[in-house]
């Protein structure tokens, strides 16, 4: 009986903390940016452990800053050694980092425009980001508004936006949590909790034929099946070989956060199709686990590198993590 009561109490506290995420004022702008990093092992009980599923852990860091608007990172972009992490409040950090895990040329900023102009999650709720490697243009998904905005490569100027008709009936907490520009120019978007009619476990997926902010862009609809009904898709990326990795995140008591990574073949995505991925790794206790919400893919020689970042919801008991893995099955 005590366990059930404690569970209910903890869940209530968690919900209240999330609803209070963000604080008055905007400290990241107009000040010298400050950030420190701390190296973290995959398993604190066994620091030598590096393998989890089909991934090999290559290292990771915890990001910390005294700036009150720091954290809440829900999406990221990595171009060479240039890292951009975007928070759910519309603020972002940029830095360069090599193999020594030391960030350099640190910059803080915030999106110049959007559905709202505040910095709270409730005012922005920027949950996904993807880019065109040829033009540098960046697309950002606003979950609370079921909207997609396009920006220039440095996130200095908004170019255009849309609230796609196919997303208008999505719930505020079920919007474009995952968005990826595919190699062929199409865009894939997954709703975090929005389910197709009649489905208990599936999530609505859309594939736009091109830029989702273009006038009249009409996507096809399919159903994405997460590993189970308790895991929600929180980001997706495309590997060099064309396959997609989807990050699925779960909160539970008493285990807190866990995440499952699944692999799907985009050739299976057709109008009305039900697409289920193959699980390739699970990040859960006793391994380093947190509110993982962001993915990025890079190449190092013949290796395909998967980066994973966490959203700390600007809470003291969650961390902003940036982890690096090698995908063992993706070598050429």
């Amino acid at each position: 009986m005590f366990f059930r009561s404690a569970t209910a109490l903890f869940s209530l506290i968690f919900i209240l903390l999330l609803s209070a995420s963000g604080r008055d004022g905007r400290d990241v702008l107009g000040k010298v940016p400050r950030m420190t990093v701390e190296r973290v092992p995959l398993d604190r009980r066994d620091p030598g452990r590096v393998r989890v599923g089909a991934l090999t852990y290559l290292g990771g860091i915890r990001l910390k800053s005294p700036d009150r608007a720091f954290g809440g990172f829900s999406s990221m972009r990595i171009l060479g050694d240039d890292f951009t992490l975007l928070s759910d409040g519309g603020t972002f950090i940029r830095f360069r980092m090599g193999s020594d895990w030391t960030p350099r040329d640190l910059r803080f900023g915030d999106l110049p425009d959007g559905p709202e102009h505040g910095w709270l999650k409730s005012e922005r709720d920027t949950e996904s980001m993807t880019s065109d490697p040829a033009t540098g243009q960046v697309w950002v998904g606003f979950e609370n508004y079921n909207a997609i905005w396009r920006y220039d490569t440095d996130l200095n100027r908004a170019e255009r936006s849309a609230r796609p008709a196919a997303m208008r009936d999505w719930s505020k907490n079920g919007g474009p949590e995952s968005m990826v520009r595919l190699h062929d120019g199409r865009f894939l978007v997954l709703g975090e909790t929005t389910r197709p009619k009649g489905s208990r476990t599936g999530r609505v997926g859309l594939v736009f034929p091109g830029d989702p902010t273009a006038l009249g862009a009409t996507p096809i609809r399919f159903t994405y099946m997460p590993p189970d009904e308790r895991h929600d898709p929180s980001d997706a990326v495309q590997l060099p070989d064309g396959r997609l990795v989807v990050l699925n995140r779960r909160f539970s008591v008493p285990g807190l956060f866990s995440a499952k990574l699944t692999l799907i073949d985009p050739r299976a995505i057709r109008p009305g199709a039900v697409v289920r991925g193959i699980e390739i790794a699970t990040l859960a206790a006793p391994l380093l686990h947190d509110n993982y919400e962001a993915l990025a893919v890079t190449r190092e020689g013949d290796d395909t590198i998967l980066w994973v970042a966490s959203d700390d919801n600007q809470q003291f008991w969650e961390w902003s993590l940036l982890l690096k893995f090698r995908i063992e099955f993706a070598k050429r």
Side-chain angles (χ1 to χ4, degrees), residues 10 17 21 48 85 110 117 135 303 317:
F10 189 91
L17 286 173
S21 292
L85 277 70
D110 75 302
H117 301 281
T135 66
D303 294 332
W317 54 278

Side-chain angles (χ1 to χ4, degrees), residues 234-253:
S234 59
D235 205 359
V237 290
Q238 189 171 31
L239 301 179
D241 67 9
R243 290 177 294 180
L244 295 162
V245 174
V246 180
L247 175 62
N248 305 273
R249 176 268 324 272
R250 175 190 178 189
F251 174 76
S252 64
V253 177

Side-chain angles (χ1 to χ4, degrees), residues 89-103:
T91 60
F92 61 86
I93 63 171
R94 295 189 65 182
F95 56 89
R96 295 187 179 277
M97 186 176 69
S99 58
D100 61 357
W101 293 95
T102 301

